[in-house]
Amino acid sequence: MESMENVNVDALVEFASTTGLQFLINLVAAAAIFIIGRWVAKAIHRLVVKGMERAKLEPLLVKFLGNIVYTLLLLFVILATISKLGIQTASLIAVIGAAGLAVGLALQGSLANFASGVMVIIFRPYRIGDYVEAGGVSGTVQDVQIFTTELTTPDNRKVIVPNGQMMAGAITNYSAHATRRVDLVVGVGYEDDIDTVRRVLESAVADDSRVLEVPESTIRIGAMNESSVDWIVRPWVKAEDYWDVYWGLTEEIKRRFDKEGISIPFPQRDVHVYHHGDNASGLDKQE
């Protein structure tokens, strides 16, 4: 009986020592996998970032994609480390996948904004400093993030617009080109001389040093309305001079019209009243 107990104890000690040694070996191997794997992940991350920088991608996109690559590599290293310790990773991966699906469904709007943010950064429909109209808002782009775009309106309001809303419709970028055309409509009276009006408009445009010579300005009669003859005045200017020329040229044209005696008519209509029968004489006498 005593010999049997000694055998069981010896077997237990041998099993414990073998198992403990194997666990210790696995633990050391897992630690080595984690340390080496993490170093490799960082090296790959640096190579990916340098490659994207050489491709001249946007810094924000480089940083974001680099972080995604590093996170995925580190997750793979962690799974390999856990597997080396003898822990089954199949169920863990299934749990992570289910959790990821649940989070994805809960964050559909955020994911849409994220996808739109990546598109903004890659295709660059607008950049920081551009004046744009998109998502029902107009303003100067101050910052472009993965999920949102920050605009400053002309009256100095800060507006943060989700990128999904920015990319959902048409985007008008007023700063995309170096030059813009100023569109003015100037109404004059029917009694004013056409040649005089043309001369005054041409001189006002020519005397403004901010107006570009190429492309050539357009000055033509655009329409003959009920109360006025409408002239279109379309000079080309640098994009940053647009509003200064728009307001300045409008004021200068008014000054020159006043000097030349050219009228700017207000809406008016001729009304003819006809009287019939005996009441006509009575109305005339009262008048």
Side-chain angles (χ1 to χ4, degrees), residues 2 29 54 60 78-79 91 107 109-110 112 130 138 141 158 164 168 178 191 196 215 224 248 257 264 275 279 286:
E2 183 177 354
R54 283 195 296 268
L60 181 62
I78 292 173
L79 291 176
S91 57
L107 299 176
S110 298
D130 289 352
S138 299
V141 179
K158 179 180 178 180
E191 68 278 5
T196 302
M224 292 186 291
F257 275 9
I264 300 179
H275 303 284
N279 291 333
Q286 292 178 0

Side-chain angles (χ1 to χ4, degrees), residues 56-128:
K56 296 182 179 180
L57 295 180
E58 290 286 340
L60 181 62
L61 182 61
V62 171
K63 181 180 178 180
F64 183 77
L65 293 181
N67 289 338
I68 288 181
V69 170
Y70 178 73
T71 302
L72 292 176
L73 291 173
L74 189 60
L75 180 61
F76 176 78
V77 171
I78 292 173
L79 291 176
T81 302
I82 293 175
S83 178
K84 189 61 181 178
L85 291 175
I87 302 174
Q88 295 296 325
T89 58
S91 57
L92 181 61
I93 293 175
V95 171
I96 293 175
L101 179 60
V103 172
L105 292 175
L107 299 176
Q108 290 184 29
S110 298
L111 292 176
N113 291 327
F114 161 75
S116 298
V118 173
M119 292 178 63
V120 169
I121 295 173
I122 292 176
F123 296 106
R124 303 176 185 177
Y126 51 84
R127 303 188 184 194
I128 294 176

